[in-house]
Amino acid sequence: MTRAIASLFGVGFLHPGPGTWGSAVALVPGAVMLALAGPLAVAASALALTALGWWAVARELERTPESDPGWIVIDEAAGMWLALVGLPAFGWAGVAAAFALFRLFDIAKPGPVGWADRQGGATGVMLDDLIAGALAVFALLALSSVLPTEWFP
């Protein structure tokens, strides 16, 4: 069961770019939650997914010699949902911006994202994506203050 959770029910085995697949698959339910219940529901769901993911990742890392197997993508899902918290309401342009910013920070690993990635264990696997999601939130908030309201309703 932990392998299914950690791989986001097999999404982590898609190629190329399992992390991008994991983020994209997580985007759909995250956007639906945002549209139906708002950013607080997405934040609560991201927190619950983080706890579940941390548990599953810790168990799976005990079974593999790899420090951060590419097929583990529950961390991308948690980070993606966190990035959506930066949107006050649903809008496709904002959702696309949240996805693009999250993937940018997750791949480029600037500053604190790179530091978290080097921590090792479940902490390193999960925390870098959560920090990338948090950076996306800050970037979205900054963008929402300068872009027209059609982008960020």
Side-chain angles (χ1 to χ4, degrees), residues 51-110:
L52 179 65
W54 217 295
W55 169 77
V57 168
R59 299 304 173 279
E60 285 303 312
L61 289 179
E62 292 171 357
R63 301 175 197 193
T64 181
E66 296 176 81
S67 61
D68 188 355
W71 58 265
I72 293 179
V73 294
I74 191 76
D75 51 331
E76 270 81 16
M80 185 67 253
W81 284 6
L82 184 58
L84 290 171
V85 173
L87 300 173
F90 175 81
W92 283 114
V95 169
F99 178 80
L101 287 166
F102 170 69
R103 291 307 298 150
L104 172 70
F105 293 132
D106 186 29
I107 293 167
K109 302 208 182 304

Side-chain angles (χ1 to χ4, degrees), residues 109-150:
K109 302 208 182 304
V113 181
W115 170 83
D117 188 53
R118 293 186 297 275
Q119 296 312 297
T123 298
V125 172
M126 294 295 296
L127 191 57
D128 71 314
D129 293 284
L130 295 171
I131 294 173
L135 290 177
V137 167
F138 292 125
L140 288 166
L141 292 173
L143 286 172
S144 70
S145 69
V146 296
L147 289 175
T149 55
E150 303 85 65

